[in-house]
Amino acid sequence: METLQVGLGERSYPIKIGCGVINQIPRELKTHYQATKYCIVADDNVASLYGHALVDAIRLAGLDCELMIFHHGEESKTLETIADLASQAAQHGLDRKSIFIALGGGVTGDITGFLAACYLRGVPFIQIPTSLLAQVDSSVGGKTGVDIPEGKNLVGAFYQPQAVFIDTDVLQTLPSEEYLNGLAEVIKYGVIRDRNFFDYLHDNRKQILALDQQHVSSMIYHCCRIKAEVVAADEKESNLRRILNYGHTIGHAVEAASDFEIPHGFAVSIGMVAVAKISMNQALLPSDENQKQFDLLKEYGLPTEIPDNLARIKIKQYLLTDKKIVGGKITFVLPAQIGEVVFSDQVSEQEIDSVLTVE
Ligand code: GLY
């Protein structure tokens, strides 16, 4: 098991990565995370796969543990779910010294983290992410929250977990589309921050796509290392952390315009290609570097083009209502070379139109 640290002073926490990490949870809780009661939160799918077994293992270790289950899917990421889970937690008698455990993908982490931030004005929580996307991104950094009819993630809090436990074994049961979905965020880390890692992803793509344990562990370790560095430098996203939004401005608009039919990672892949093209057109990103990113996304089987049947006008409408627009300006994260990005609010509407147009 490899351990990284997210350095946030008294709110610092470890990220523990390895195969079979879930089996070590009861011992970890007993030794390092004592509580009056533990409460695992999982969706119905993950509860059947791992939730019931984990509750049993924790109870077998002599610890008091409950399991709360919600219906899987983004539709559950609502204030109603939070209210329902909070009621259940109160009925189970969870107090300020209890610990919530998010067991699942990004939706579960966001819901559980926000529940933990609100319940009794804040109780500790632990993340056990079970999707690649959650393992390399959403479980680290303390972004929690829910959707409201006006938009995704519009209600939430920065609330850091006590620890993140990443079991690479669970990826074996992940549908292959879900794995690919996470790989877009993995490639993103190489482009924004680490050229060596980008080259590693290129050189080892066969093993990574074949889910080779050692390569997958190493890949996740490097993503978490980069994310931990960025979060430690800028927890509340006032500056550096915005680099993590690379490809996301256009990506989110594509995702929303498709009524969320296009998965998040696929939309981010399309968004990365689009902004790299803007950067190249501005003579910031050399064309061979643009090609390198394009080729790597293709090699991993990720989409690089907006589907023809997606109305450009709809994408533009979503772009213009992006929640990250400040003072009427969209700040784009543009690559300057592989491993380095810059912020720019100097992207014209025509430049955006040019990358949205079908060629
Ligand atoms: N997923 C982007 C962030 O955590 O800042």
Side-chain angles (χ1 to χ4, degrees):
M1 183 157 73
E2 301 244 44
T3 303
L4 283 159
Q5 193 73 6
V6 184
L8 286 167
E10 60 184 17
R11 285 172 297 106
S12 296
Y13 55 94
I15 306 170
K16 300 189 181 191
I17 306 162
C19 49
V21 163
I22 283 195
N23 303 328
Q24 297 176 34
I25 297 289
R27 190 156 44 90
E28 284 280 339
L29 297 181
K30 245 183 156 159
T31 320
H32 300 296
Y33 305 98
Q34 279 147 20
T36 49
K37 203 185 254 283
Y38 301 90
C39 184
I40 298 172
V41 181
D43 72 24
D44 42 2
N45 291 334
V46 175
S48 323
L49 279 170
Y50 308 109
H52 294 288
L54 185 57
V55 168
D56 290 347
I58 293 173
R59 286 181 180 159
L60 206 65
L63 303 172
D64 196 353
C65 187
E66 303 290 345
L67 172 64
M68 300 200 299
I69 302 173
F70 65 91
H71 186 71
H72 66 273
E74 184 79 25
E75 310 78 57
S76 288
K77 232 178 93 174
T78 61
L79 287 164
E80 288 74 29
T81 305
I82 297 293
D84 179 43
L85 294 173
S87 291
Q88 288 185 48
Q91 283 157 25
H92 286 312
L94 266 83
D95 61 27
R96 283 219 169 103
K97 293 215 159 72
S98 301
I99 295 182
F100 284 109
I101 300 175
L103 177 69
V107 169
T108 304
D110 284 3
I111 288 177
T112 312
F114 190 49
L115 173 67
C118 304
Y119 184 73
L120 301 180
R121 300 197 177 87
V123 297
F125 85 113
I126 285 171
Q127 291 267 21
I128 309 179
T130 58
S131 70
L132 181 62
L133 200 74
Q135 293 186 340
V136 298
D137 183 22
S138 58
S139 65
V140 176
K143 278 191 182 173
T144 73
V146 295
D147 307 332
I148 54 174
E150 288 72 16
K152 275 184 75 173
N153 297 322
L154 289 192
V155 177
F158 283 101
Y159 193 67
Q160 302 295 342
Q162 300 293 302
V164 182
F165 292 99
I166 298 178
D167 189 335
T168 53
D169 274 352
V170 303
L171 298 177
Q172 305 290 340
T173 58
L174 202 64
S176 58
E177 189 181 281
E178 269 290 299
Y179 183 58
L180 264 189
N181 195 29
L183 284 170
E185 297 278 1
V186 170
I187 294 172
K188 178 194 80 177
Y189 285 112
V191 179
I192 61 173
R193 196 84 174 156
D194 192 333
R195 190 180 191 100
N196 289 338
F197 181 54
F198 183 93
D199 291 341
Y200 174 85
L201 294 174
H202 172 74
D203 296 343
N204 297 282
R205 58 195 182 282
K206 283 207 178 77
Q207 295 89 329
I208 291 170
L209 282 168
L211 275 161
D212 173 75
Q213 274 294 351
Q214 208 188 323
H215 286 83
V216 169
S217 283
S218 170
M219 170 184 88
I220 294 173
Y221 178 90
H222 286 290
C223 293
C224 290
R225 169 184 60 77
I226 296 168
K227 177 119 194 211
E229 268 169 34
V230 171
V231 168
D234 176 23
E235 182 186 7
K236 302 265 169 83
E237 198 173 294
S238 46
N239 196 9
L240 178 72
R241 187 165 177 168
R242 294 179 300 159
I243 69 173
L244 300 174
N245 298 328
Y246 174 55
H248 281 60
T249 305
I250 292 177
H252 277 150
V254 167
E255 195 182 355
S258 78
D259 289 325
F260 298 92
E261 290 287 312
I262 300 181
H264 176 75
F266 289 10
V268 166
S269 173
I270 293 168
M272 284 164 62
V273 172
V275 279
K277 204 161 160 199
I278 291 174
S279 186
M280 186 180 69
N281 292 342
Q282 289 195 354
L284 179 63
L285 179 70
S287 63
D288 58 333
E289 296 279 90
N290 177 52
Q291 193 63 42
K292 268 192 183 151
Q293 176 192 268
F294 184 87
D295 290 346
L296 191 62
L297 291 167
K298 274 262 178 235
E299 281 161 8
Y300 274 92
L302 287 160
T304 51
E305 277 163 30
I306 303 170
D308 291 349
N309 61 356
L310 208 57
R312 275 33 186 186
I313 184 83
K314 219 170 154 193
I315 300 173
K316 266 198 76 184
Q317 275 162 2
Y318 279 107
L319 259 180
L320 301 176
T321 53
D322 191 292
K323 74 172 186 293
K324 293 204 168 70
I325 293 182
V326 180
K329 291 212 170 213
I330 306 182
T331 299
F332 281 91
V333 182
L334 298 182
Q337 59 175 346
I338 300 294
E340 188 192 335
V341 286
V342 296
F343 299 120
S344 171
D345 58 10
Q346 301 299 314
V347 176
S348 68
E349 205 167 328
Q350 288 87 331
E351 286 174 297
I352 296 174
D353 285 342
S354 79
V355 294
L356 296 184
T357 311
V358 194
E359 284 182 0

